[in-house]
Amino acid sequence: MRNHRFLRLLPLLLLLMLPLLPQRAQAQSKPAYQYMQMTTIESIVAGGLGRSRVLFTPEFKGTKEAQMENLFSLTGININNVKANEETILRYLSEVTAEGWELFQVTPLTQTLQNTGTTGQGIFLTRYTFRKAK
């Protein structure tokens, strides 16, 4: 008698468990991604003595590092250099996404030198993380 009850409930139990099966299969088939990072370093050093760069890890289209303009000149902030850097960053973002990379995360960072007696030294650093399905 106990077996008979179990056999009657078995189809109902299977129907209740059926929706769980596709989710489990889908969770196991997540695509693997490859990642790339583009880092922009913009120097804040008075007199235009800083070094501003775009770095790629791993390299992108043969580029590991590209030069950008310094944000400051001898007379202070150089708006033309700020604009040129914005254009460089947007150009690289366009190129990377055109190659099928998805912008996944952006992390802004700043660093200023302390105990130097001046506040005019430091960097703006932004990390752009991209991913692409393998």
Side-chain angles (χ1 to χ4, degrees):
M1 179 116 168
R2 189 176 257 187
N3 248 353
H4 181 65
R5 263 197 236 168
F6 177 74
L7 289 176
R8 282 182 41 190
L9 290 177
L10 184 61
L12 180 62
L13 288 172
L14 290 174
L15 282 175
L16 290 174
M17 292 179 63
L18 192 60
L20 300 176
L21 295 176
Q23 289 177 353
R24 183 174 178 186
Q26 184 179 5
Q28 291 175 348
S29 66
K30 283 186 180 177
Y33 292 100
Q34 57 185 359
Y35 292 89
M36 178 176 62
Q37 201 163 26
M38 180 179 95
T39 303
T40 59
I41 303 167
E42 296 184 272
S43 181
I44 306 168
V45 177
L49 299 174
R51 292 180 28 186
S52 297
R53 301 282 188 265
V54 176
L55 308 173
F56 287 97
T57 306
E59 68 181 41
F60 173 69
K61 292 176 137 183
T63 303
K64 286 186 180 182
E65 180 179 318
Q67 190 167 340
M68 288 199 307
E69 301 295 330
N70 294 321
L71 296 179
F72 284 89
S73 64
L74 289 172
T75 58
I77 191 163
N78 187 323
I79 298 301
N80 289 331
N81 287 358
V82 171
K83 184 168 176 54
N85 286 357
E86 288 175 352
E87 290 171 355
T88 298
I89 292 167
L90 288 174
R91 180 176 47 88
Y92 278 124
L93 287 172
S94 294
E95 287 180 21
V96 168
T97 55
E99 291 289 320
W101 292 91
E102 169 195 1
L103 181 58
F104 179 66
Q105 182 176 16
V106 178
T107 307
L109 304 161
T110 59
Q111 175 68 45
T112 56
L113 299 177
Q114 295 181 353
N115 301 325
T116 60
T118 179
T119 59
Q121 294 186 351
I123 59 170
F124 291 123
L125 188 136
T126 305
R127 289 201 168 119
Y128 303 85
T129 304
F130 298 90
R131 70 180 182 182
K132 183 193 278 190
K134 288 184 179 181

PDB file of all heavy atoms in Angstrom, residues 32-53:
ATOM      1  N   ALA A  32      32.720  31.528 -20.748  1.00  0.00           N
ATOM      2  CA  ALA A  32      33.983  31.953 -20.152  1.00  0.00           C
ATOM      3  C   ALA A  32      34.417  33.241 -20.851  1.00  0.00           C
ATOM      4  O   ALA A  32      34.204  33.408 -22.047  1.00  0.00           O
ATOM      5  CB  ALA A  32      35.021  30.860 -20.328  1.00  0.00           C
ATOM      6  N   TYR A  33      34.962  34.163 -20.113  1.00  0.00           N
ATOM      7  CA  TYR A  33      35.370  35.451 -20.661  1.00  0.00           C
ATOM      8  C   TYR A  33      36.887  35.577 -20.647  1.00  0.00           C
ATOM      9  O   TYR A  33      37.562  35.015 -19.809  1.00  0.00           O
ATOM     10  CB  TYR A  33      34.797  36.606 -19.827  1.00  0.00           C
ATOM     11  CG  TYR A  33      33.309  36.745 -19.927  1.00  0.00           C
ATOM     12  CD1 TYR A  33      32.473  36.252 -18.927  1.00  0.00           C
ATOM     13  CD2 TYR A  33      32.729  37.376 -21.017  1.00  0.00           C
ATOM     14  CE1 TYR A  33      31.102  36.401 -19.019  1.00  0.00           C
ATOM     15  CE2 TYR A  33      31.352  37.525 -21.115  1.00  0.00           C
ATOM     16  CZ  TYR A  33      30.551  37.025 -20.107  1.00  0.00           C
ATOM     17  OH  TYR A  33      29.187  37.178 -20.205  1.00  0.00           O
ATOM     18  N   GLN A  34      37.377  36.350 -21.592  1.00  0.00           N
ATOM     19  CA  GLN A  34      38.746  36.823 -21.512  1.00  0.00           C
ATOM     20  C   GLN A  34      38.665  38.303 -21.155  1.00  0.00           C
ATOM     21  O   GLN A  34      37.692  38.974 -21.489  1.00  0.00           O
ATOM     22  CB  GLN A  34      39.499  36.590 -22.809  1.00  0.00           C
ATOM     23  CG  GLN A  34      38.886  37.214 -24.037  1.00  0.00           C
ATOM     24  CD  GLN A  34      39.644  36.826 -25.292  1.00  0.00           C
ATOM     25  OE1 GLN A  34      40.634  36.113 -25.245  1.00  0.00           O
ATOM     26  NE2 GLN A  34      39.173  37.305 -26.427  1.00  0.00           N
ATOM     27  N   TYR A  35      39.647  38.808 -20.453  1.00  0.00           N
ATOM     28  CA  TYR A  35      39.605  40.174 -19.955  1.00  0.00           C
ATOM     29  C   TYR A  35      40.786  40.972 -20.494  1.00  0.00           C
ATOM     30  O   TYR A  35      41.853  40.430 -20.762  1.00  0.00           O
ATOM     31  CB  TYR A  35      39.632  40.191 -18.418  1.00  0.00           C
ATOM     32  CG  TYR A  35      38.374  39.625 -17.819  1.00  0.00           C
ATOM     33  CD1 TYR A  35      38.255  38.271 -17.543  1.00  0.00           C
ATOM     34  CD2 TYR A  35      37.295  40.455 -17.559  1.00  0.00           C
ATOM     35  CE1 TYR A  35      37.089  37.756 -17.005  1.00  0.00           C
ATOM     36  CE2 TYR A  35      36.124  39.946 -17.014  1.00  0.00           C
ATOM     37  CZ  TYR A  35      36.034  38.595 -16.742  1.00  0.00           C
ATOM     38  OH  TYR A  35      34.872  38.089 -16.218  1.00  0.00           O
ATOM     39  N   MET A  36      40.562  42.263 -20.626  1.00  0.00           N
ATOM     40  CA  MET A  36      41.619  43.190 -21.012  1.00  0.00           C
ATOM     41  C   MET A  36      41.429  44.457 -20.182  1.00  0.00           C
ATOM     42  O   MET A  36      40.302  44.842 -19.876  1.00  0.00           O
ATOM     43  CB  MET A  36      41.531  43.538 -22.499  1.00  0.00           C
ATOM     44  CG  MET A  36      42.596  44.548 -22.923  1.00  0.00           C
ATOM     45  SD  MET A  36      42.612  44.916 -24.684  1.00  0.00           S
ATOM     46  CE  MET A  36      40.985  45.613 -24.915  1.00  0.00           C
ATOM     47  N   GLN A  37      42.542  45.094 -19.858  1.00  0.00           N
ATOM     48  CA  GLN A  37      42.469  46.312 -19.071  1.00  0.00           C
ATOM     49  C   GLN A  37      43.163  47.446 -19.820  1.00  0.00           C
ATOM     50  O   GLN A  37      44.249  47.267 -20.375  1.00  0.00           O
ATOM     51  CB  GLN A  37      43.146  46.095 -17.725  1.00  0.00           C
ATOM     52  CG  GLN A  37      42.730  47.058 -16.678  1.00  0.00           C
ATOM     53  CD  GLN A  37      43.101  46.538 -15.298  1.00  0.00           C
ATOM     54  OE1 GLN A  37      44.022  45.772 -15.136  1.00  0.00           O
ATOM     55  NE2 GLN A  37      42.379  46.966 -14.303  1.00  0.00           N
ATOM     56  N   MET A  38      42.497  48.590 -19.849  1.00  0.00           N
ATOM     57  CA  MET A  38      43.091  49.816 -20.364  1.00  0.00           C
ATOM     58  C   MET A  38      43.201  50.765 -19.180  1.00  0.00           C
ATOM     59  O   MET A  38      42.205  51.028 -18.496  1.00  0.00           O
ATOM     60  CB  MET A  38      42.211  50.433 -21.456  1.00  0.00           C
ATOM     61  CG  MET A  38      42.786  51.715 -22.036  1.00  0.00           C
ATOM     62  SD  MET A  38      41.740  52.434 -23.345  1.00  0.00           S
ATOM     63  CE  MET A  38      40.782  53.601 -22.364  1.00  0.00           C
ATOM     64  N   THR A  39      44.403  51.246 -18.918  1.00  0.00           N
ATOM     65  CA  THR A  39      44.630  52.149 -17.799  1.00  0.00           C
ATOM     66  C   THR A  39      45.104  53.486 -18.328  1.00  0.00           C
ATOM     67  O   THR A  39      46.033  53.541 -19.131  1.00  0.00           O
ATOM     68  CB  THR A  39      45.687  51.570 -16.835  1.00  0.00           C
ATOM     69  OG1 THR A  39      45.252  50.285 -16.384  1.00  0.00           O
ATOM     70  CG2 THR A  39      45.914  52.475 -15.643  1.00  0.00           C
ATOM     71  N   THR A  40      44.445  54.558 -17.909  1.00  0.00           N
ATOM     72  CA  THR A  40      44.909  55.896 -18.263  1.00  0.00           C
ATOM     73  C   THR A  40      45.542  56.519 -17.031  1.00  0.00           C
ATOM     74  O   THR A  40      44.992  56.451 -15.932  1.00  0.00           O
ATOM     75  CB  THR A  40      43.759  56.789 -18.775  1.00  0.00           C
ATOM     76  OG1 THR A  40      42.753  56.901 -17.766  1.00  0.00           O
ATOM     77  CG2 THR A  40      43.157  56.210 -20.042  1.00  0.00           C
ATOM     78  N   ILE A  41      46.719  57.078 -17.235  1.00  0.00           N
ATOM     79  CA  ILE A  41      47.459  57.743 -16.157  1.00  0.00           C
ATOM     80  C   ILE A  41      47.689  59.176 -16.612  1.00  0.00           C
ATOM     81  O   ILE A  41      48.363  59.407 -17.616  1.00  0.00           O
ATOM     82  CB  ILE A  41      48.805  57.050 -15.882  1.00  0.00           C
ATOM     83  CG1 ILE A  41      48.576  55.580 -15.550  1.00  0.00           C
ATOM     84  CG2 ILE A  41      49.562  57.769 -14.768  1.00  0.00           C
ATOM     85  CD1 ILE A  41      49.836  54.752 -15.561  1.00  0.00           C
ATOM     86  N   GLU A  42      47.091  60.119 -15.904  1.00  0.00           N
ATOM     87  CA  GLU A  42      47.260  61.525 -16.242  1.00  0.00           C
ATOM     88  C   GLU A  42      47.981  62.212 -15.093  1.00  0.00           C
ATOM     89  O   GLU A  42      47.501  62.241 -13.971  1.00  0.00           O
ATOM     90  CB  GLU A  42      45.908  62.165 -16.531  1.00  0.00           C
ATOM     91  CG  GLU A  42      45.242  61.564 -17.761  1.00  0.00           C
ATOM     92  CD  GLU A  42      43.951  62.238 -18.116  1.00  0.00           C
ATOM     93  OE1 GLU A  42      42.912  61.813 -17.578  1.00  0.00           O
ATOM     94  OE2 GLU A  42      43.992  63.200 -18.908  1.00  0.00           O
ATOM     95  N   SER A  43      49.140  62.727 -15.409  1.00  0.00           N
ATOM     96  CA  SER A  43      50.026  63.295 -14.404  1.00  0.00           C
ATOM     97  C   SER A  43      49.637  64.725 -14.068  1.00  0.00           C
ATOM     98  O   SER A  43      49.288  65.509 -14.941  1.00  0.00           O
ATOM     99  CB  SER A  43      51.458  63.257 -14.940  1.00  0.00           C
ATOM    100  OG  SER A  43      52.337  63.778 -13.987  1.00  0.00           O
ATOM    101  N   ILE A  44      49.717  65.033 -12.776  1.00  0.00           N
ATOM    102  CA  ILE A  44      49.467  66.387 -12.281  1.00  0.00           C
ATOM    103  C   ILE A  44      50.785  66.879 -11.684  1.00  0.00           C
ATOM    104  O   ILE A  44      51.009  66.802 -10.487  1.00  0.00           O
ATOM    105  CB  ILE A  44      48.371  66.407 -11.204  1.00  0.00           C
ATOM    106  CG1 ILE A  44      47.117  65.739 -11.701  1.00  0.00           C
ATOM    107  CG2 ILE A  44      48.074  67.835 -10.766  1.00  0.00           C
ATOM    108  CD1 ILE A  44      46.121  65.471 -10.612  1.00  0.00           C
ATOM    109  N   VAL A  45      51.659  67.322 -12.544  1.00  0.00           N
ATOM    110  CA  VAL A  45      52.942  67.855 -12.100  1.00  0.00           C
ATOM    111  C   VAL A  45      53.101  69.221 -12.748  1.00  0.00           C
ATOM    112  O   VAL A  45      52.996  69.346 -13.977  1.00  0.00           O
ATOM    113  CB  VAL A  45      54.116  66.926 -12.489  1.00  0.00           C
ATOM    114  CG1 VAL A  45      55.452  67.539 -12.087  1.00  0.00           C
ATOM    115  CG2 VAL A  45      53.944  65.564 -11.833  1.00  0.00           C
ATOM    116  N   ALA A  46      53.332  70.216 -11.928  1.00  0.00           N
ATOM    117  CA  ALA A  46      53.447  71.589 -12.441  1.00  0.00           C
ATOM    118  C   ALA A  46      54.581  71.696 -13.453  1.00  0.00           C
ATOM    119  O   ALA A  46      55.573  70.980 -13.392  1.00  0.00           O
ATOM    120  CB  ALA A  46      53.684  72.537 -11.271  1.00  0.00           C
ATOM    121  N   GLY A  47      54.392  72.593 -14.403  1.00  0.00           N
ATOM    122  CA  GLY A  47      55.436  72.862 -15.390  1.00  0.00           C
ATOM    123  C   GLY A  47      55.454  71.885 -16.546  1.00  0.00           C
ATOM    124  O   GLY A  47      56.362  71.913 -17.363  1.00  0.00           O
ATOM    125  N   GLY A  48      54.486  70.993 -16.621  1.00  0.00           N
ATOM    126  CA  GLY A  48      54.446  70.050 -17.739  1.00  0.00           C
ATOM    127  C   GLY A  48      55.495  68.957 -17.672  1.00  0.00           C
ATOM    128  O   GLY A  48      55.839  68.355 -18.688  1.00  0.00           O
ATOM    129  N   LEU A  49      56.033  68.693 -16.491  1.00  0.00           N
ATOM    130  CA  LEU A  49      57.091  67.699 -16.351  1.00  0.00           C
ATOM    131  C   LEU A  49      56.561  66.283 -16.131  1.00  0.00           C
ATOM    132  O   LEU A  49      57.339  65.343 -16.055  1.00  0.00           O
ATOM    133  CB  LEU A  49      58.016  68.081 -15.185  1.00  0.00           C
ATOM    134  CG  LEU A  49      58.734  69.427 -15.345  1.00  0.00           C
ATOM    135  CD1 LEU A  49      59.500  69.765 -14.071  1.00  0.00           C
ATOM    136  CD2 LEU A  49      59.641  69.416 -16.561  1.00  0.00           C
ATOM    137  N   GLY A  50      55.252  66.128 -16.009  1.00  0.00           N
ATOM    138  CA  GLY A  50      54.682  64.807 -15.742  1.00  0.00           C
ATOM    139  C   GLY A  50      54.671  63.920 -16.969  1.00  0.00           C
ATOM    140  O   GLY A  50      54.967  64.346 -18.085  1.00  0.00           O
ATOM    141  N   ARG A  51      54.343  62.662 -16.750  1.00  0.00           N
ATOM    142  CA  ARG A  51      54.240  61.691 -17.851  1.00  0.00           C
ATOM    143  C   ARG A  51      52.844  61.094 -17.828  1.00  0.00           C
ATOM    144  O   ARG A  51      52.474  60.431 -16.868  1.00  0.00           O
ATOM    145  CB  ARG A  51      55.279  60.587 -17.679  1.00  0.00           C
ATOM    146  CG  ARG A  51      56.683  61.066 -17.861  1.00  0.00           C
ATOM    147  CD  ARG A  51      57.707  59.991 -17.684  1.00  0.00           C
ATOM    148  NE  ARG A  51      57.180  58.669 -18.021  1.00  0.00           N
ATOM    149  CZ  ARG A  51      57.834  57.550 -17.840  1.00  0.00           C
ATOM    150  NH1 ARG A  51      59.025  57.569 -17.317  1.00  0.00           N
ATOM    151  NH2 ARG A  51      57.314  56.403 -18.165  1.00  0.00           N
ATOM    152  N   SER A  52      52.088  61.311 -18.883  1.00  0.00           N
ATOM    153  CA  SER A  52      50.726  60.782 -18.983  1.00  0.00           C
ATOM    154  C   SER A  52      50.711  59.691 -20.049  1.00  0.00           C
ATOM    155  O   SER A  52      51.300  59.856 -21.123  1.00  0.00           O
ATOM    156  CB  SER A  52      49.745  61.902 -19.337  1.00  0.00           C
ATOM    157  OG  SER A  52      49.724  62.869 -18.302  1.00  0.00           O
ATOM    158  N   ARG A  53      50.014  58.587 -19.752  1.00  0.00           N
ATOM    159  CA  ARG A  53      50.053  57.432 -20.646  1.00  0.00           C
ATOM    160  C   ARG A  53      48.715  56.695 -20.667  1.00  0.00           C
ATOM    161  O   ARG A  53      47.892  56.824 -19.759  1.00  0.00           O
ATOM    162  CB  ARG A  53      51.101  56.409 -20.182  1.00  0.00           C
ATOM    163  CG  ARG A  53      52.514  56.913 -20.093  1.00  0.00           C
ATOM    164  CD  ARG A  53      53.140  56.969 -21.468  1.00  0.00           C
ATOM    165  NE  ARG A  53      54.546  57.264 -21.411  1.00  0.00           N
ATOM    166  CZ  ARG A  53      55.066  58.476 -21.536  1.00  0.00           C
ATOM    167  NH1 ARG A  53      54.285  59.507 -21.685  1.00  0.00           N
ATOM    168  NH2 ARG A  53      56.360  58.674 -21.503  1.00  0.00           N
TER     169      ARG A  53
END
